[in-house]
Amino acid sequence: MESTGDRMRRALLWAWALAVIVFMYLPTVSLLLASSTDSRYFMFPIQRWGFGWWQKTFASLEVHQLFETSLLIALCVTVIAVVIALFGALAFARYEWKGRSLYQKIVLLPIFFPQTVLGLALLLWFNALGFTMSWQTAVFAHLVWIIPVCTLVISIQVYSFDPALEEAAFDLGATRWQVFREVTLPVLFPGIFSGALFAFLLSWGNFPLSLYTTGADTTLPEYLYAKMIAGYTPGVPVLGTVSTLGAALLMLCGYLVIVVLRRRGTAEPDNDQ
Amino acid sequence: MSIFSPGARHALPVMLFLLCGFAAPLLAVIAFSFVPSRTFSLWQPWTLENYAEIFNSSSYISFLWSLGLAAATVVILALICYPVAFGLARVFGKYATLITLLFTLPLFVSENVRIYGWILFFIKKGVLLGTLESLFGYAPESILFTTGLTLLGMVYVYLPFMLFPMTLGVSMVPQQVRDAAFDLGATRWQVFKEVDLPLAMPGIVIGFLLTFVLAVGAIAEAKVLGGQRIIPIAHDIEIAFTYAQNWPLGAALSVLLMLVVGTFVLIVLRRFDLDSILGRR
């Protein structure tokens, strides 16, 4: 039934979208190419392919230390952000209350804020309070930006949550805690899971907030930045590629988990309709 | 029971956290902008000299560069993203999720790593010039470290921030309304102008706002890709805080940036009902 004009327009849209995707991945592909050469300096086309720099980078103790610090920060951020953001999301989308529309806007403010300035403001604030910068202050700094993002991500799930489910459980004599554990948490789980995934990945890749608030505990993005302004180091493309592949893998796993959860959710008869 | 409504009670942890993690640091910055230059304590006679210094120096040039580049980024991204957003909402069907994932992934890789990838792409003997040279024997100058490349970096980094709100906006336009307009004899252009654009506006404007605000605060693109040919305002702020060790001046610059950004955010957000954008049906 489609006219030739329509088919043409669809093809153009597809071509445009694919072109934009190619544009988005040009730097990533360049990193991958640069990491798989054994020469000291990057030259394209590549003369000597090899994975020597991968081995050297992975053998480095310093890199292990960076991974540990980044992982520690990201895990702490994920746990704290998800707990606070879950309640934040319920206030955002589940309850009708007087201050809600103001609250919804306040929560967005840190997302709409230049992160470099936020990082420096936190540095100044910690300093005024007499804290020494360390990975703990970095966790706090990441949370300022990640709790709002996480609240938004979970809210999207909360919007499709039917409050009648909770009320029915109350009517059947469940306690507040039972309702939360047996009804609210399981129904919202896909949203909570995506929130956690976002929190982890955003903390893992964050540079501007880490830069001023980690003190002596360096994270991976900070180390990479220090190396890349110091001139060409083959370790940078390797770690950049690892970081990209890691994020992709984690996202893929997360995506599969969410698909499975959603399937199971819709398979239950008491959901939605 | 507590004096708070259930909603307020659930909002409490977030609000308390933002009070001491967001509001308090910003107040500290504001307070610091009034203490004498090159000092590190708040307990001194307050002064306006930091603001006077800004208006007597060339910092306004950085402000203009940041605002100009951010505006250019928004315009370019609007043109790039609208067709993609339209495709994601209407045409790509079951592939839309996959394409969305592809656009989400770069968000999770540190910004400076991806910018570094552009260096490897554009550098002399890099992916682009190396290929041109070996295939066609053509060796032009590298466009690395120019203002244009700063702009390219910003367009690249902030693309998802325009695309996602825009897609949300475009998918809010009911297909029946578009069909009705076509049935009544509207042309494609008329449907775009009179139906698509107005109804998708909330999402589009949020995208504009988000990219503009983030781009005004951008720093790494000009530093890494632009070779510091231009100095954006966030860079001035960073220099004042770090190399110059002049926290009060950096704080005053931050306050001015916060005023610019805050005004935009408040004006735009006041006009929107977030429930309708995020999906309460």
Side-chain angles (χ1 to χ4, degrees), chain A residues 6 9 13 16 24-25 27 30 43-45 87-88 91 93 95-97 100 103-105 112-113 116 121 124-125 143-144 159 201 205 207 212 221 224-225 232 251, chain B residues 7 10-11 14-15 17 20-21 24 29 32 80 83 101-102 108 110 112-114 116 121 125-126 130-131 134 156 188 209 213 219 223 238 241 258 269 272 275 280:
Chain A
D6 273 341
R9 264 183 286 271
L13 272 183
W16 181 254
M24 289 300 280
Y25 283 87
S30 307
M43 286 242 263
F44 200 82
F87 293 107
Y95 295 104
E96 295 292 342
W97 54 293
R100 188 167 79 135
Y103 162 76
Q104 287 179 327
K105 278 152 203 176
F112 284 78
F113 202 83
T116 312
L124 205 145
W125 174 234
L143 284 171
V144 177
Y159 273 114
L201 288 165
F207 171 69
Y212 305 107
L224 285 173
Y225 181 73
Y232 184 73
M251 247 179 78
Chain B
H10 285 80
V14 175
M15 293 306 269
F17 186 83
C20 51
V29 168
F32 243 101
I80 294 180
L101 278 180
L102 283 174
F108 300 131
S110 193
N112 50 40
V113 171
R114 289 181 289 137
Y116 192 70
F121 184 79
K125 304 236 180 257
T131 309
S134 67
Y156 166 73
R188 227 154 247 290
L209 181 68
V213 165
I219 178 168
K223 246 164 122 174
E238 195 200 8
F241 269 100
M258 276 152 55
L269 282 189
F272 285 112
D275 283 333
R280 169 154 297 187

Coordinates of all heavy atoms in Angstrom, one line a residue, chain A residues 6 9 13 16 24-25 27 30 43-45 87-88 91 93 95-97 100 103-105 112-113 116 121 124-125 143-144 159 201 205 207 212 221 224-225 232 251, chain B residues 7 10-11 14-15 17 20-21 24 29 32 80 83 101-102 108 110 112-114 116 121 125-126 130-131 134 156 188 209 213 219 223 238 241 258 269 272 275 280:
Chain A
D6 N 6.8 7.4 -0.2 CA 6.9 7.0 1.2 C 8.2 6.1 1.4 O 8.9 6.3 2.4 CB 5.7 6.2 1.7 CG 4.6 7.2 2.1 OD1 5.0 8.3 2.4 OD2 3.4 6.8 2.2
R9 N 11.3 8.0 1.4 CA 11.5 8.8 2.6 C 11.9 7.9 3.8 O 12.8 8.3 4.6 CB 10.2 9.5 3.0 CG 10.1 10.9 2.5 CD 8.8 11.6 3.0 NE 7.7 11.2 2.3 CZ 7.3 11.7 1.1 NH1 7.9 12.7 0.6 NH2 6.2 11.2 0.5
L13 N 15.4 8.2 5.9 CA 15.5 8.3 7.3 C 16.5 7.2 7.9 O 17.3 7.5 8.7 CB 14.1 8.0 7.9 CG 13.2 9.3 8.1 CD1 11.9 8.9 8.8 CD2 13.9 10.3 8.9
W16 N 20.0 8.3 7.0 CA 20.4 9.4 7.9 C 20.8 8.9 9.3 O 21.9 9.2 9.9 CB 19.3 10.4 8.0 CG 19.7 11.6 8.8 CD1 19.2 11.9 10.1 CD2 20.6 12.7 8.5 NE1 19.7 13.0 10.6 CE2 20.6 13.5 9.6 CE3 21.4 12.9 7.4 CZ2 21.4 14.7 9.7 CZ3 22.2 14.1 7.5 CH2 22.2 14.9 8.6
M24 N 28.8 8.7 15.5 CA 29.0 8.5 16.9 C 30.1 7.5 17.2 O 30.7 7.5 18.3 CB 27.7 7.9 17.5 CG 26.6 8.9 17.6 SD 26.9 10.4 18.5 CE 26.7 9.8 20.2
Y25 N 30.4 6.5 16.3 CA 31.3 5.5 16.6 C 32.7 5.7 16.0 O 33.6 4.9 16.2 CB 30.7 4.1 16.3 CG 29.7 3.7 17.4 CD1 28.4 4.1 17.4 CD2 30.2 3.1 18.5 CE1 27.5 3.8 18.4 CE2 29.3 2.8 19.6 CZ 28.0 3.1 19.5 OH 27.2 2.9 20.5
P27 N 35.1 7.8 16.7 CA 36.2 7.9 17.7 C 36.5 6.6 18.4 O 37.6 6.2 18.6 CB 35.8 8.9 18.7 CG 34.4 9.3 18.4 CD 34.0 8.8 17.0
S30 N 38.4 4.4 16.1 CA 39.8 4.9 16.0 C 40.6 4.4 17.2 O 41.8 4.0 17.1 CB 39.8 6.5 16.0 OG 39.0 6.9 15.0
M43 N 50.2 5.2 13.7 CA 50.2 5.6 12.3 C 49.2 4.8 11.6 O 49.1 3.6 11.8 CB 51.6 5.3 11.7 CG 52.7 6.3 12.1 SD 53.3 7.1 10.7 CE 54.7 6.2 10.3
F44 N 48.5 5.4 10.7 CA 47.5 4.7 9.9 C 47.8 4.8 8.5 O 48.2 5.9 8.0 CB 46.1 5.3 10.3 CG 45.0 4.3 9.9 CD1 44.6 3.3 10.8 CD2 44.3 4.5 8.8 CE1 43.6 2.5 10.5 CE2 43.2 3.6 8.5 CZ 42.9 2.6 9.3
P45 N 47.6 3.8 7.6 CA 47.2 2.4 8.0 C 48.3 1.8 8.8 O 49.4 2.1 8.7 CB 47.1 1.7 6.6 CG 47.2 2.8 5.6 CD 47.8 4.0 6.2
F87 N 12.9 5.9 46.7 CA 12.0 6.8 47.4 C 11.7 8.1 46.6 O 10.6 8.5 46.6 CB 12.5 7.0 48.8 CG 12.5 5.8 49.6 CD1 13.7 5.2 50.0 CD2 11.3 5.2 50.1 CE1 13.7 4.0 50.7 CE2 11.3 4.0 50.8 CZ 12.5 3.4 51.1
G88 N 12.8 8.6 46.1 CA 12.6 9.8 45.3 C 11.7 9.7 44.2 O 10.9 10.5 43.8
A91 N 8.0 9.5 45.2 CA 7.5 10.9 45.5 C 7.3 11.6 44.2 O 6.4 12.4 44.0 CB 8.5 11.6 46.4
A93 N 6.5 10.2 41.1 CA 5.5 9.8 40.2 C 4.3 9.0 40.8 O 3.3 8.8 40.2 CB 6.1 8.9 39.1
Y95 N 2.9 9.4 44.3 CA 2.0 10.1 45.2 C 1.6 11.5 44.6 O 2.4 12.2 44.0 CB 2.7 10.3 46.5 CG 2.9 9.0 47.2 CD1 4.2 8.4 47.3 CD2 1.9 8.2 47.8 CE1 4.5 7.2 47.9 CE2 2.1 7.0 48.4 CZ 3.4 6.5 48.5 OH 3.6 5.3 49.0
E96 N 0.3 11.8 44.9 CA -0.1 13.2 44.7 C 0.2 14.0 45.9 O -0.3 13.6 47.0 CB -1.6 13.2 44.4 CG -2.0 12.5 43.1 CD -1.6 13.2 41.8 OE1 -1.2 14.4 41.9 OE2 -1.5 12.6 40.8
W97 N 1.0 15.0 45.9 CA 1.2 15.7 47.1 C 1.4 17.2 46.8 O 1.7 17.5 45.6 CB 2.3 15.2 48.0 CG 3.6 14.9 47.3 CD1 3.8 14.0 46.4 CD2 4.8 15.6 47.6 NE1 5.2 14.1 46.0 CE2 5.8 15.0 46.7 CE3 5.2 16.6 48.5 CZ2 7.1 15.5 46.7 CZ3 6.5 17.0 48.5 CH2 7.5 16.4 47.6
R100 N 4.7 18.5 45.0 CA 5.2 17.7 44.0 C 5.8 18.4 42.8 O 6.9 18.1 42.4 CB 4.2 16.6 43.5 CG 4.9 15.6 42.7 CD 4.0 14.4 42.5 NE 3.0 14.8 41.5 CZ 2.6 14.0 40.5 NH1 3.2 12.8 40.4 NH2 1.7 14.3 39.6
Y103 N 9.0 19.9 43.6 CA 10.0 18.9 43.9 C 10.5 18.3 42.6 O 11.7 18.1 42.4 CB 9.4 17.8 44.7 CG 10.1 16.5 44.7 CD1 11.3 16.3 45.4 CD2 9.6 15.4 44.0 CE1 11.9 15.1 45.4 CE2 10.2 14.2 44.0 CZ 11.4 14.0 44.7 OH 12.0 12.8 44.7
Q104 N 9.6 18.0 41.6 CA 10.0 17.5 40.3 C 11.1 18.4 39.6 O 12.0 17.9 38.9 CB 8.8 17.3 39.4 CG 7.9 16.2 39.8 CD 6.7 16.1 38.9 OE1 6.2 17.1 38.4 NE2 6.2 14.8 38.7
K105 N 10.9 19.7 39.8 CA 11.8 20.6 39.1 C 13.1 20.7 39.9 O 14.2 20.7 39.3 CB 11.2 22.0 39.0 CG 10.3 22.0 37.8 CD 9.1 22.9 37.8 CE 8.1 22.4 36.8 NZ 6.9 23.1 36.8
F112 N 20.8 19.5 35.0 CA 20.9 20.7 34.1 C 22.1 21.6 34.5 O 22.0 22.8 34.3 CB 19.6 21.5 34.1 CG 18.5 20.9 33.3 CD1 17.8 19.8 33.8 CD2 18.2 21.3 32.0 CE1 16.7 19.3 33.1 CE2 17.2 20.7 31.3 CZ 16.4 19.7 31.8
F113 N 23.1 21.1 35.2 CA 24.1 22.0 35.7 C 25.5 21.6 35.2 O 25.8 20.4 35.2 CB 24.1 21.9 37.3 CG 24.7 23.0 38.0 CD1 23.9 24.2 38.2 CD2 26.0 23.0 38.4 CE1 24.4 25.3 38.8 CE2 26.5 24.1 39.0 CZ 25.7 25.2 39.2
T116 N 31.6 20.6 35.6 CA 32.9 21.1 36.0 C 32.6 22.1 37.2 O 33.3 22.0 38.2 CB 33.6 21.8 34.9 OG1 33.5 21.0 33.7 CG2 35.0 22.2 35.2
A121 N 32.5 23.5 42.9 CA 31.7 23.9 44.1 C 31.8 22.9 45.2 O 31.9 23.3 46.4 CB 30.3 24.1 43.6
L124 N 35.1 23.2 46.9 CA 35.1 24.4 47.8 C 34.4 24.1 49.1 O 34.8 24.5 50.2 CB 34.5 25.5 47.1 CG 34.7 27.0 47.4 CD1 34.7 27.8 46.1 CD2 33.7 27.5 48.3
W125 N 33.3 23.4 49.0 CA 32.4 23.1 50.1 C 33.0 22.1 51.0 O 33.1 22.3 52.2 CB 31.1 22.5 49.5 CG 30.1 22.0 50.5 CD1 29.5 20.7 50.4 CD2 29.4 22.6 51.6 NE1 28.6 20.6 51.4 CE2 28.5 21.7 52.1 CE3 29.6 23.9 52.1 CZ2 27.7 22.0 53.2 CZ3 28.8 24.2 53.3 CH2 27.9 23.3 53.8
L143 N 27.2 11.2 43.6 CA 25.7 11.0 44.0 C 24.9 12.3 43.7 O 23.8 12.2 43.3 CB 25.6 10.7 45.5 CG 26.0 9.3 45.9 CD1 26.1 9.1 47.4 CD2 25.0 8.3 45.3
V144 N 25.6 13.5 43.8 CA 24.8 14.7 43.6 C 24.2 14.7 42.2 O 23.1 15.2 41.9 CB 25.7 15.9 43.8 CG1 25.0 17.2 43.5 CG2 26.3 16.0 45.2
Y159 N 5.6 5.5 36.8 CA 4.4 6.1 36.2 C 3.5 5.0 35.7 O 2.3 5.2 35.7 CB 4.8 6.9 35.0 CG 5.1 8.3 35.3 CD1 6.4 8.9 35.2 CD2 4.1 9.2 35.8 CE1 6.7 10.2 35.5 CE2 4.4 10.5 36.1 CZ 5.7 11.0 36.0 OH 5.9 12.3 36.3
L201 N 27.2 2.8 35.5 CA 28.0 3.2 34.3 C 28.3 4.6 34.3 O 29.4 5.0 33.9 CB 27.1 2.8 33.1 CG 27.0 1.3 32.8 CD1 25.9 1.1 31.8 CD2 28.4 0.8 32.3
G205 N 32.2 6.1 34.3 CA 32.8 7.0 33.3 C 33.0 8.4 33.7 O 33.5 9.2 32.9
F207 N 34.2 11.9 34.7 CA 35.5 12.6 34.8 C 35.4 13.9 35.6 O 36.1 14.2 36.5 CB 36.1 12.8 33.4 CG 37.3 13.7 33.4 CD1 38.5 13.2 34.0 CD2 37.3 14.9 32.9 CE1 39.6 14.0 34.1 CE2 38.4 15.7 32.9 CZ 39.5 15.3 33.5
Y212 N 38.0 16.8 40.7 CA 38.3 17.7 41.8 C 38.1 17.1 43.2 O 38.4 17.7 44.2 CB 37.5 19.0 41.7 CG 37.7 19.7 40.4 CD1 36.7 19.6 39.4 CD2 38.9 20.3 40.1 CE1 36.9 20.2 38.2 CE2 39.1 20.9 38.9 CZ 38.1 20.8 37.9 OH 38.4 21.4 36.7
P221 N 39.1 7.4 34.5 CA 39.0 8.5 33.6 C 40.1 9.6 33.9 O 40.6 10.3 33.0 CB 37.6 9.0 33.8 CG 36.8 7.9 34.3 CD 37.8 7.1 35.1
L224 N 43.5 8.5 32.6 CA 43.5 8.6 31.1 C 43.7 10.0 30.7 O 44.5 10.3 29.8 CB 42.2 8.0 30.5 CG 42.1 6.5 30.6 CD1 40.7 6.0 30.2 CD2 43.2 5.9 29.7
Y225 N 43.0 10.9 31.4 CA 43.1 12.3 31.0 C 44.6 12.8 31.2 O 45.2 13.4 30.3 CB 42.2 13.2 31.8 CG 42.2 14.6 31.5 CD1 41.7 15.1 30.3 CD2 42.9 15.5 32.3 CE1 41.8 16.4 29.9 CE2 42.9 16.9 32.0 CZ 42.4 17.3 30.8 OH 42.5 18.6 30.4
Y232 N 51.4 11.2 23.4 CA 50.8 9.9 23.0 C 51.4 8.8 23.8 O 52.6 8.6 23.9 CB 51.1 9.7 21.5 CG 50.4 8.4 21.0 CD1 49.0 8.4 20.9 CD2 51.1 7.2 20.8 CE1 48.3 7.2 20.5 CE2 50.4 6.1 20.5 CZ 49.0 6.1 20.3 OH 48.4 4.9 20.0
M251 N 26.0 -3.2 29.5 CA 24.7 -2.8 29.0 C 23.9 -3.9 28.3 O 22.7 -4.0 28.5 CB 24.9 -1.7 28.0 CG 24.4 -0.3 28.5 SD 24.7 0.9 27.2 CE 23.4 0.6 26.1
Chain B
G7 N 3.9 11.5 50.1 CA 4.8 12.0 49.0 C 6.0 12.8 49.6 O 7.1 12.5 49.2
H10 N 8.5 10.5 51.2 CA 9.4 9.7 50.3 C 10.4 10.7 49.6 O 11.5 10.3 49.2 CB 8.6 9.0 49.2 CG 7.9 7.8 49.7 ND1 6.7 7.8 50.5 CD2 8.2 6.5 49.6 CE1 6.4 6.6 50.8 NE2 7.3 5.8 50.3
A11 N 10.0 11.9 49.5 CA 10.9 12.9 48.8 C 12.0 13.3 49.8 O 13.1 13.8 49.3 CB 10.2 14.1 48.3
V14 N 15.9 12.4 49.2 CA 16.5 13.1 48.1 C 16.7 14.6 48.4 O 17.8 15.2 48.1 CB 15.6 13.0 46.8 CG1 16.1 13.8 45.7 CG2 15.5 11.5 46.4
M15 N 15.7 15.2 49.0 CA 15.8 16.6 49.3 C 16.9 16.9 50.3 O 17.6 17.9 50.1 CB 14.4 17.1 49.8 CG 13.3 17.1 48.8 SD 13.7 17.9 47.2 CE 13.1 19.5 47.6
F17 N 19.5 15.2 50.8 CA 20.8 15.0 50.1 C 21.1 16.2 49.2 O 22.3 16.7 49.2 CB 20.8 13.7 49.3 CG 22.2 13.4 48.7 CD1 23.1 12.8 49.4 CD2 22.5 13.8 47.4 CE1 24.4 12.6 48.9 CE2 23.7 13.6 46.9 CZ 24.7 13.0 47.7
C20 N 22.4 19.2 51.2 CA 23.8 19.3 51.6 C 24.8 19.0 50.4 O 25.9 19.3 50.5 CB 24.1 18.5 52.8 SG 23.5 16.8 52.8
G21 N 24.3 18.4 49.3 CA 25.2 18.1 48.2 C 25.1 19.1 47.0 O 26.0 19.1 46.2
A24 N 23.9 23.6 49.3 CA 24.9 24.1 50.2 C 26.2 24.5 49.4 O 26.8 25.6 49.6 CB 25.2 23.2 51.4
V29 N 29.7 28.7 47.1 CA 30.3 29.4 46.0 C 29.9 30.9 46.0 O 30.7 31.8 45.8 CB 29.9 28.7 44.7 CG1 30.3 29.6 43.5 CG2 30.6 27.4 44.5
F32 N 31.7 32.7 48.7 CA 33.1 32.9 48.4 C 33.3 34.0 47.3 O 34.4 34.6 47.3 CB 33.7 31.5 47.8 CG 34.8 31.0 48.7 CD1 34.5 30.0 49.6 CD2 36.1 31.6 48.7 CE1 35.5 29.5 50.4 CE2 37.0 31.1 49.5 CZ 36.8 30.1 50.4
I80 N 20.4 17.7 13.1 CA 20.8 16.3 13.0 C 19.8 15.4 13.6 O 19.5 14.3 13.1 CB 22.2 16.1 13.7 CG1 23.3 16.9 13.0 CG2 22.5 14.7 13.8 CD1 24.6 16.7 13.6
P83 N 15.4 14.3 12.4 CA 15.0 13.1 11.5 C 15.2 11.8 12.3 O 14.4 10.8 12.1 CB 16.0 13.2 10.4 CG 16.4 14.6 10.3 CD 16.4 15.1 11.7
L101 N 19.8 2.0 22.1 CA 21.0 1.4 22.9 C 22.3 1.9 22.3 O 23.2 2.3 23.0 CB 20.9 -0.1 22.9 CG 20.0 -0.8 23.9 CD1 20.1 -2.3 23.8 CD2 20.4 -0.3 25.3
L102 N 22.4 1.9 21.0 CA 23.6 2.3 20.3 C 23.9 3.8 20.6 O 25.1 4.2 20.8 CB 23.5 2.1 18.8 CG 23.7 0.7 18.3 CD1 23.4 0.6 16.8 CD2 25.1 0.2 18.6
F108 N 28.2 6.3 28.5 CA 28.9 5.6 29.6 C 30.4 5.5 29.5 O 31.0 5.0 30.4 CB 28.3 4.2 29.8 CG 26.8 4.2 30.0 CD1 25.9 3.5 29.3 CD2 26.2 5.1 31.0 CE1 24.6 3.5 29.5 CE2 24.9 5.1 31.2 CZ 24.1 4.3 30.4
S110 N 33.8 7.5 29.4 CA 34.3 8.8 29.8 C 34.4 9.8 28.6 O 35.0 9.4 27.6 CB 35.6 8.7 30.5 OG 35.9 9.9 31.2
N112 N 36.3 12.3 28.0 CA 37.6 12.6 27.4 C 38.2 11.5 26.6 O 39.0 11.7 25.7 CB 38.5 13.1 28.6 CG 38.5 12.2 29.7 OD1 38.5 11.0 29.5 ND2 38.5 12.7 31.0
V113 N 37.8 10.3 26.9 CA 38.3 9.1 26.2 C 37.7 9.2 24.7 O 38.5 9.0 23.7 CB 37.9 7.8 26.8 CG1 38.2 6.6 25.9 CG2 38.6 7.6 28.1
R114 N 36.4 9.6 24.6 CA 35.8 9.6 23.3 C 36.4 10.8 22.5 O 36.6 10.7 21.3 CB 34.3 9.7 23.4 CG 33.7 8.4 23.9 CD 32.2 8.5 24.0 NE 31.9 9.4 25.2 CZ 30.9 10.3 25.1 NH1 30.2 10.5 24.0 NH2 30.6 11.0 26.2
Y116 N 39.3 11.9 22.8 CA 40.7 11.5 22.4 C 40.6 10.6 21.2 O 41.5 10.7 20.3 CB 41.3 10.7 23.6 CG 42.8 10.4 23.3 CD1 43.7 11.5 23.4 CD2 43.2 9.2 23.0 CE1 45.0 11.3 23.1 CE2 44.6 8.9 22.8 CZ 45.5 10.0 22.8 OH 46.8 9.8 22.6
F121 N 41.5 10.1 15.1 CA 40.8 10.1 13.8 C 41.4 11.2 13.0 O 41.7 11.0 11.8 CB 39.3 10.2 14.0 CG 38.6 10.2 12.7 CD1 38.3 8.9 12.1 CD2 38.1 11.3 12.1 CE1 37.6 8.8 10.9 CE2 37.4 11.2 10.9 CZ 37.1 10.0 10.3
K125 N 48.5 11.6 9.8 CA 48.8 10.1 9.8 C 47.8 9.3 10.6 O 48.0 8.2 10.9 CB 50.2 9.8 10.2 CG 51.3 10.5 9.5 CD 52.2 9.5 8.9 CE 53.3 10.2 8.2 NZ 53.1 10.2 6.7
G126 N 46.7 10.0 11.0 CA 45.7 9.3 11.8 C 44.7 8.5 10.9 O 45.0 8.3 9.7
G130 N 45.6 9.4 7.2 CA 46.4 8.2 6.8 C 45.7 7.5 5.7 O 46.4 7.0 4.7
T131 N 44.4 7.3 5.8 CA 43.7 6.6 4.8 C 43.7 7.4 3.4 O 44.0 6.8 2.4 CB 42.2 6.4 5.2 OG1 42.2 5.8 6.5 CG2 41.5 5.5 4.2
S134 N 47.2 7.1 1.9 CA 47.6 5.8 1.3 C 46.8 5.4 0.1 O 47.2 4.7 -0.8 CB 47.6 4.7 2.4 OG 46.3 4.4 2.8
Y156 N 29.1 16.3 19.0 CA 29.3 14.8 19.2 C 28.9 14.4 20.7 O 28.1 13.5 20.9 CB 30.7 14.4 18.9 CG 31.1 13.1 19.4 CD1 30.6 11.9 18.7 CD2 32.0 12.9 20.4 CE1 30.9 10.7 19.2 CE2 32.3 11.7 20.9 CZ 31.8 10.6 20.3 OH 32.1 9.3 20.7
R188 N 2.7 17.8 3.6 CA 3.7 17.3 4.5 C 4.3 18.4 5.4 O 4.4 18.3 6.6 CB 4.8 16.6 3.7 CG 5.3 15.3 4.2 CD 5.9 14.5 3.1 NE 5.0 13.3 2.8 CZ 4.9 12.3 3.7 NH1 5.5 12.3 4.8 NH2 4.1 11.3 3.3
L209 N 17.2 22.9 25.9 CA 17.6 23.4 27.1 C 18.8 22.6 27.7 O 19.8 23.1 28.0 CB 16.5 23.4 28.1 CG 16.8 23.9 29.5 CD1 17.0 25.4 29.5 CD2 15.6 23.6 30.5
V213 N 22.5 24.2 28.0 CA 23.1 24.4 29.4 C 24.4 23.6 29.5 O 25.4 24.1 30.0 CB 22.0 23.9 30.4 CG1 22.7 23.8 31.8 CG2 20.9 25.0 30.5
I219 N 34.1 22.1 28.6 CA 35.4 22.6 28.8 C 36.4 21.7 28.0 O 37.3 22.2 27.3 CB 35.8 22.6 30.3 CG1 37.2 23.0 30.5 CG2 35.5 21.2 30.9 CD1 37.4 23.3 32.0
K223 N 39.7 22.3 25.1 CA 41.0 22.1 25.6 C 41.7 21.0 24.8 O 42.9 21.2 24.4 CB 40.9 21.6 27.0 CG 41.5 22.5 28.1 CD 41.0 22.1 29.4 CE 42.0 21.8 30.4 NZ 41.5 21.5 31.7
E238 N 38.1 27.1 35.8 CA 39.0 26.1 36.3 C 40.4 26.7 36.6 O 41.0 26.4 37.6 CB 39.1 25.0 35.2 CG 39.7 23.7 35.8 CD 40.3 22.8 34.7 OE1 40.3 23.2 33.5 OE2 40.7 21.7 35.1
F241 N 40.5 28.6 39.8 CA 40.4 27.7 41.0 C 41.8 26.9 41.1 O 42.2 26.7 42.3 CB 39.3 26.7 40.9 CG 38.0 27.1 41.5 CD1 37.0 27.6 40.7 CD2 37.8 27.0 42.9 CE1 35.8 28.0 41.3 CE2 36.7 27.4 43.4 CZ 35.6 27.9 42.7
M258 N 26.2 30.5 36.7 CA 25.0 29.9 37.3 C 23.8 30.8 37.0 O 22.7 30.3 36.8 CB 25.2 29.8 38.8 CG 25.9 28.5 39.2 SD 26.9 28.6 40.8 CE 25.6 29.2 41.9
L269 N 11.6 25.5 32.4 CA 10.9 24.5 33.2 C 9.6 25.0 33.8 O 8.7 24.2 34.0 CB 11.8 24.0 34.4 CG 12.9 23.0 34.0 CD1 13.6 22.5 35.3 CD2 12.4 21.9 33.2
F272 N 6.5 23.9 31.8 CA 6.2 22.5 31.5 C 5.6 21.6 32.6 O 6.0 21.8 33.7 CB 7.4 21.8 30.9 CG 7.7 22.2 29.5 CD1 8.8 23.0 29.3 CD2 6.9 21.9 28.5 CE1 9.1 23.4 28.0 CE2 7.1 22.4 27.2 CZ 8.3 23.1 27.0
D275 N 4.8 15.6 34.3 CA 4.0 14.4 34.3 C 3.6 14.0 32.8 O 3.7 12.9 32.4 CB 2.7 14.5 35.1 CG 3.0 14.5 36.6 OD1 4.0 13.8 36.9 OD2 2.2 15.1 37.3
R280 N 2.8 10.0 32.4 CA 1.5 9.7 33.0 C 0.4 9.8 32.0 O 0.2 10.8 31.3 CB 1.2 10.7 34.2 CG -0.2 10.6 34.7 CD -0.3 11.0 36.1 NE 0.5 10.2 37.0 CZ 0.4 10.3 38.3 NH1 -0.3 11.2 38.8 NH2 1.2 9.5 39.0

